[in-house]
Structures are given as C-alpha cells and as structure tokens.
Amino acid sequence: MCGIVGGVAERNLIPIMLEGLKRLEYRGYDSAGVAIIDAEGTLVRRRSLGKIKALDATIHADDTPIAGQIGIAHTRWATHGVPSEANAHPHFSNDQVAVVHNGIIENYQQLKAQQQAMGYAFTSQTDTEVIGHCVAEHLKQQPDLLKAVQAAIQKFEGAYALGVISVTDPTRLIAARKGSPLVIGVGIGEYFIASDVSALLPVTQNVIFLEEGDVADIRRDALQIYNQQGEPVERQVRVSSLSAAAVELGEHRHYMHKEIFEQPQSVSDTLEGRVTDKTVLVSAFGNQAEALFAGITQVQIIACGTSYHAGLVAKYWFEDILQLPCQVEVASEYRYRNPVVLSNSLFVTISQSGETADTLAALQQVKGRAKQQNLSVPTLTICNAPESSMTRESDLVFLTHAGQEIGVASTKAFSTQLVSLALLLTSIGKVQGRLDAKREGKIVKGLKKLPGLIQNALTHEPTIQALANRFADKHNCLFLGRGTMYPIAMEGALKLKEISYIHAEAYPAGELKHGPLALIDETIPVVAIAPHDDLLEKLKSNLQEVNARGGQMIVFEDEKSNVSSDGTFTVVKTTSNVGRITAPITFNIVLQLLAYHVALIKGTDVDQPRNLAKSVTVE
C-alpha cells in the first residue's frame, strides 16, 4: 500500500518525484505530498487531497514553484486516519525532520502518548508522525541522521518502508525497510528511492533491492547500506528488465483494458522455456524441484483475493487429475487459526507482488513451525516480482511473466498464475508417476493453445460491450458455475464488485436451492459459465430453475454446450476445444471484459477503484 519516491541529485527533484508518484498512483491515491530541502536549507512541503494531478496543480499554483535537490514524496492509501491533507505524507517534526512511510507502526499509540508527554505536537491521525518525532528526539542526543534513524527504528513494532530527510544534515537521505518493499535507483552522481521499480524507470534501470532490516545512508555521491545488525553490507546492483514504455497506456483508455489484451503474450511468455513440444521442464521450478516434489503427499496453497481464486481452481486440478490432496486457504485466516502443519506438504504461496502481508507472514510462520517441529515442508512461491520478499523466503520460486500490472483489478497476473499452477500440477504428476507421457503431452498441447484461445475470446468484446448496458441501473448480480467454473465465477464477481461497485456474489450452481434462489427476480442479472464438461447437464437444470423465476440470464458457453432456452436467455458462444485446464482460463477473459465495460457504463474509476490499492502490504 502507498507509494514512496525520493532522491538526492544535482538537479531539481520535483519533476522526477511527481512523475514517479504518477507511476505509483495504483498503490494509493487518497492524498499525496512532497517535501524538499530548498537552497536556503529549509524544509518545504506541499500536500493535497486526491490524486497526483491535484498535487501537481498545488505545486505549480505559485509563481515560484518549490525546488530542491534532495526530497521525498508519497501517495497514500489510508490506514490510520481518513483521507485528508492533514493526514497526507510527508509528515514533519518541528520543521526539522520529514518522513514518508509505508506500512503500519503497531505500537504507535504507546509511542504517541510518550511523545505527547515530552511536548511533541501531533497534527494528524496517522501512525507515521511518531516516526518523525522519534528521529527528532534521537537527533537531540546524537546529531547524526543515520544513527538517529537506526536508534528510532528499534522502537517500532510492525512494518515500514521509510524515507527520512532533515535540515540538520541536508545532504543525506536515510531509507529503511522492514516488512514493506523499498528499492534504490542508482544513477550517475545521484540516487533515488521508491517502493516500486516502475517509479524509477524514467531516470534509471539500475536498482538495488533492500533486504529485510536494511538501512541505507544515501548521499549524492555515496551509498552505504547497513543490515539489521547495523553492519555495513553490499547489495547487488541489478538491471531492471522493465522499460518505461512497459507502463504506458498506448492506444488503450485504461491500464485494465491494456492488461486484458496483453494476456495472450503474457501466457506465451510464462510458458516460454518451461515446456517442450510434449513435456514440462520440472527444472523450471528450481534445481531442487524434482527431489522435493518426489516426497510430497499433499499440497497446501495460501493466497489472498484473486490469487486465492487461482488456488481454488488448482485444487480441482490436483485432486481430479493427480488424486493428490490439496487444501486452499485465505492467508489472513490461515495465519491466525493455529493451523496444523503436516510433514511432506508442499506449501505454495501465490502473490502478484510477492509482498502481500498476510501471505508473507503465513509463509514465515510455516517455515518457523517446520523448523521447530523438524517437519519436511518445502515452500514454493508463484509470483510476478523476481526480487520480492516471498521469492527470497521460499525454497522454490516460479516467476510468472505477466509483465508490469498497473490496474488494481488483477487480470493478466491471474491468468499467468493459473498457467503456473497447471505447470506445477504437471511437474508433480510427472515426478511422482501420477501422469503418463500421453497425459502430460495432452496438457502441454492444451497450454500451448491458450494464447490463441484467449485471443479468440477477446474478439467477443463488442458483444460484451452491448451486454454491459443491461447493468446500468443494477445494484446486484449473481454469478454461477460448477467445478472449476465456481472459482472462476467467484473471480468474475470480485472483478465486477471491485471496479463497478455492484454487489456481486458467486455460488456453485448446485447450491441455488439452498438459499440463493430467494434472490432471483426479474431485476437481478445472473451470469453463468457453461463449459462442455461432465457437469453440463446438471448446470442446464440449475439454469432452468433461475429461468422459471424470471432471472435475467447471461450464459457464456462452449460452442458445443448448446444451452437452450425459450428466448429468455442471452447466450454468448465464447470458445470451443477447451479442456479442463484451459477452460477456466479462457472463460475468465470474457468475465474480465464484462466487468470492465460495466464499470465504464457506471462511470467509475476503472484503474483506481475507491478504497483499494494494488499491493496489499499491510494487514
């Protein structure tokens, strides 16, 4: 959550920080602000409620806009305190220290009470102000900004990524991370910080990913990083594979639309180098993968949101195709229910960012228990971010190649997660002898057809755009599916509610008689997914139950399914020649398009829906 940008340079940082904030706006857009130390050595700040364009207007409203060669900036997603200018970052302490912060300081109430007793004034409802005051207090005892920050963070409980500047040492920027990501951009005679590489692309592709507990002392011509123990360390400078063009809209109106249409390429990229003509390369999961997969007797998948839905689809695959037990659970529930960790389980975490707080905490918890109880619990992270916390914590890593995803509502990340899980299924089945060569070849053939199947599904956009008009005055919607299509229905409902603000629920179609039928009348749209599979006839019966009660039925079907009605159904022949693995991925595409076009009809903010942010790095 939230976005940080900052730097130390020989040029004015305001334009650079504003551009960086625009690229991070998907992380938070309740309010934004910048702070610089100007040529007179004074801390100057501008903040505004709303999006970055409002901040830009505020900065340039004066005849002499602010300028500085050292500064920090922030775009906020509210945790403590409502969205307001007063709660916007950066926060000051006595006009001496400025700080920007991602994360949550869990003991801030205790620290706040202590600081108020010491005479410090608070001007916001946030937890971040205690950070600035704590640094300022330590500066009284030790007038060295690095040492003051190192001492201050010892008092914080929770998660943070920090950028700190002070007029007491106007040439230094101190950065620190614990539980929230932070990256340093390396330029020529200049350094930058950001919570995401994308913010740095206009100025550099050379980056350093800070590790857990790191503190960085940054000057224009020098950088020194200290680890959690306060020891100087070297961190590798990497060249980002992202480009500035990768995060441009191009011909698309919204990032979500762009990312929906990038899915054929994203799926191709995720498959590339992982499959041959007929086989899956187990080594794609790591050098240890074959040995670790051989010994597992069950799979435990932990994820949140859209990634959780991908796990639910995989559960059907693992148990149906491999007869291998698979459990799937929401990370925020799993980590707090004192779960039993079974030996010989493959513990799989799924996350687009690799920084999802609850999923990361669950991974760390399981690793700790496995070590304490001497259990064999290999860990695997499926992720779109190669330098994320989860990839560093896991025994095995499988990177999806979705590319940068900016829209808050996940699209191509979900499709590539499902492809990755299909490759995992096939690899485990191959290693354990649960899949013969013929079955493996059939799965690989289906996966290689996927880019074309997705491309074909995208051609239905005009039809779906017309259907979206039916939702203009709707406030509720029901999604139905059976088998693997039930979690796809869940994902479709999530997308609709995320970006159009229509209340949407998903149910297994067979559960209609156990309550949901009470919702059906002529005012509620019902969206169903009808692949040509073993459950088709049962699904058709369920749909007739809806039809008999006047429901407005929209059915996305396989061309062979032939869902018939008396003319009251709207049937979209979505695809054909799909199997049990390719079908859920393909049918999901049209549900993404439906949510997108309904959101356009509703006039909502598609890429940055209210109250949501892209990367959930706080509990």
Side-chain angles (χ1 to χ4, degrees):
M1 299 295 186
C2 306
I4 287 174
V5 187
V8 185
E10 280 192 306
R11 49 179 166 163
N12 180 20
L13 284 174
I14 291 295
I16 294 170
M17 292 193 296
L18 282 173
E19 179 60 29
L21 289 180
K22 290 173 184 176
R23 291 168 180 267
L24 292 179
E25 197 166 22
Y26 68 92
R27 297 180 66 96
Y29 38 86
D30 294 333
S31 58
V34 299
I36 52 95
I37 299 176
D38 67 14
E40 285 71 45
T42 303
L43 268 178
V44 182
R45 174 177 60 183
R46 296 289 185 271
R47 298 182 293 178
S48 68
L49 183 63
K51 297 188 178 184
I52 309 306
K53 61 183 179 182
L55 175 63
D56 195 345
T58 298
I59 290 172
H60 292 95
D62 301 334
D63 292 335
T64 55
I66 63 173
Q69 296 177 349
I70 179 170
I72 50 179
H74 190 269
T75 180
R76 182 172 185 254
W77 184 85
T79 53
H80 293 78
V82 299
S84 68
E85 185 174 324
N87 287 332
H89 299 215
H91 288 288
F92 281 9
S93 178
N94 298 333
D95 291 327
Q96 180 186 38
V97 174
V99 60
V100 288
H101 165 224
N102 289 353
I104 293 176
I105 304 301
E106 294 176 353
N107 61 332
Y108 88 99
Q109 291 282 20
Q110 176 188 347
L111 293 172
K112 182 175 181 178
Q114 294 171 357
Q115 291 169 356
Q116 285 175 322
M118 296 164 67
Y120 285 96
F122 285 77
T123 60
S124 78
Q125 302 166 304
T126 73
D127 56 332
T128 301
E129 275 195 280
V130 301
I131 299 171
H133 293 329
C134 199
V135 172
E137 184 63 24
H138 281 287
L139 279 171
K140 293 178 182 177
Q141 305 160 25
Q142 171 57 263
D144 182 290
L145 186 58
L146 170 66
K147 292 180 180 178
V149 172
Q150 287 176 318
I153 61 178
Q154 300 304 314
K155 298 183 177 181
F156 304 150
E157 297 174 9
Y160 55 77
L162 303 177
V164 184
I165 57 176
S166 173
V167 295
T168 63
D169 201 342
T171 63
R172 297 168 88 180
L173 164 62
I174 308 301
R177 72 148 292 187
K178 178 186 175 185
S180 289
L182 200 62
V183 61
I184 296 175
V186 180
I188 300 173
E190 57 189 10
Y191 289 94
F192 306 92
I193 64 169
S195 46
D196 191 310
V197 173
S198 63
L200 302 178
L201 295 178
V203 288
T204 184
Q205 286 185 285
N206 298 317
V207 296
I208 298 171
F209 293 91
L210 292 181
E211 297 189 8
E212 187 75 355
D214 280 356
V215 177
D217 183 6
I218 306 170
R219 304 171 190 261
R220 185 184 61 76
D221 55 357
L223 168 67
Q224 180 60 64
I225 299 173
Y226 300 86
N227 64 15
Q228 201 157 4
Q229 290 71 45
E231 304 162 336
V233 291
E234 296 288 333
R235 299 294 186 217
Q236 181 181 357
V237 179
R238 303 173 186 271
V239 179
S240 173
S241 59
L242 294 175
S243 67
V247 292
E248 300 295 340
L249 274 172
E251 62 183 13
H252 298 273
R253 183 175 171 186
H254 298 96
Y255 282 110
M256 182 180 180
H257 191 260
K258 174 177 181 274
E259 289 155 9
I260 289 172
F261 277 80
E262 287 175 341
Q263 287 176 107
Q265 187 62 52
S266 295
V267 167
S268 291
D269 291 344
T270 299
L271 289 171
E272 185 177 354
R274 276 85 180 259
V275 295
T276 66
D277 287 343
K278 296 181 180 179
T279 65
V280 172
L281 302 177
V282 180
S283 59
F285 288 89
N287 294 330
Q288 307 175 68
E290 187 163 354
L292 293 177
F293 290 169
I296 65 169
T297 56
Q298 58 238 332
V299 176
Q300 173 72 65
I301 298 175
I302 300 296
C304 298
T306 286
S307 298
Y308 169 66
H309 297 157
L312 289 175
V313 173
K315 175 181 172 66
Y316 284 91
W317 292 343
F318 276 107
E319 298 194 344
D320 180 25
I321 299 172
L322 296 188
Q323 296 294 293
L324 185 68
C326 179
Q327 301 301 316
V328 186
E329 196 157 348
V330 172
S332 57
E333 291 297 313
Y334 181 87
R335 63 179 290 207
Y336 288 116
R337 70 166 179 80
N338 195 26
V340 176
V341 179
L342 298 176
S343 196
N344 301 319
S345 295
L346 177 64
F347 191 83
V348 180
T349 49
I350 311 173
S351 169
Q352 189 279 137
S353 67
E355 302 291 349
T356 308
D358 286 312
T359 310
L360 177 59
L363 171 60
Q364 293 167 336
Q365 177 189 70
V366 164
K367 287 181 64 180
R369 288 195 180 190
K371 183 176 181 180
Q372 183 181 35
Q373 299 173 24
N374 196 29
L375 303 174
S376 173
V377 185
T379 57
L380 164 67
T381 284
I382 294 173
C383 180
N384 195 37
E387 296 297 332
S388 63
S389 298
M390 280 185 225
T391 61
R392 292 194 294 270
E393 291 273 355
S394 296
D395 300 319
L396 303 173
V397 175
F398 190 90
L399 295 175
T400 62
H401 292 162
Q404 183 83 352
E405 189 176 70
I406 300 296
V408 167
S410 183
T411 52
K412 60 181 180 175
F414 179 66
S415 294
T416 55
Q417 285 170 357
L418 287 173
V419 169
S420 303
L421 288 162
L423 294 174
L424 175 63
L425 162 101
T426 312
S427 296
I428 294 172
K430 179 178 180 177
V431 169
Q432 295 194 355
R434 295 171 183 262
L435 278 182
D436 59 24
K438 182 178 179 181
R439 193 78 178 278
E440 180 188 1
K442 186 176 180 181
I443 292 173
V444 170
K445 182 179 179 182
L447 289 172
K448 292 182 126 184
K449 285 169 51 182
L450 255 177
L453 291 170
I454 294 171
Q455 194 66 56
N456 181 65
L458 291 170
T459 64
H460 294 286
E461 183 175 31
T463 300
I464 294 167
Q465 188 172 4
L467 285 175
N469 289 297
R470 298 188 186 184
F471 292 77
D473 61 345
K474 303 304 181 188
H475 302 285
N476 299 282
C477 183
L478 192 63
F479 285 75
L480 301 177
R482 299 198 72 148
T484 55
M485 296 305 158
Y486 170 46
I488 294 301
M490 294 172 70
E491 177 62 12
L494 176 62
K495 286 293 159 284
L496 190 67
K497 70 181 76 170
E498 276 183 310
I499 63 171
S500 75
Y501 315 149
I502 291 175
H503 171 248
E505 286 191 76
Y507 274 92
E511 282 290 293
L512 281 169
K513 292 185 287 292
H514 297 277
L517 272 178
L519 297 171
I520 304 300
D521 60 23
E522 65 280 356
T523 67
I524 184 168
V526 181
V527 179
I529 314 161
H532 189 257
D533 61 13
D534 295 342
L535 292 171
L536 176 61
E537 293 307 316
K538 293 187 180 298
L539 176 67
K540 288 180 178 180
S541 297
N542 302 142
L543 300 186
Q544 290 301 332
E545 293 167 359
V546 174
N547 189 43
R549 288 155 180 84
Q552 299 180 29
M553 180 65 67
I554 299 170
V555 182
F556 295 103
E557 71 163 6
D558 187 289
E559 291 177 1
K560 298 178 182 177
S561 294
N562 294 320
V563 174
S564 60
S565 73
D566 57 5
T568 57
F569 288 13
T570 297
V571 178
V572 179
K573 293 189 177 295
T574 304
T575 189
S576 62
N577 299 316
V578 289
R580 67 183 69 191
I581 288 178
T582 54
I585 303 171
T586 306
F587 276 102
N588 181 62
I589 303 300
V590 290
L591 299 187
Q592 293 174 352
L593 286 171
L594 179 65
Y596 173 75
H597 284 288
V598 171
L600 292 186
I601 295 294
K602 288 286 190 178
T604 59
D605 191 330
V606 173
D607 287 332
Q608 298 166 353
R610 67 188 183 199
N611 303 332
L612 301 177
K614 182 67 177 174
S615 181
V616 185
T617 56
V618 294
E619 290 187 51

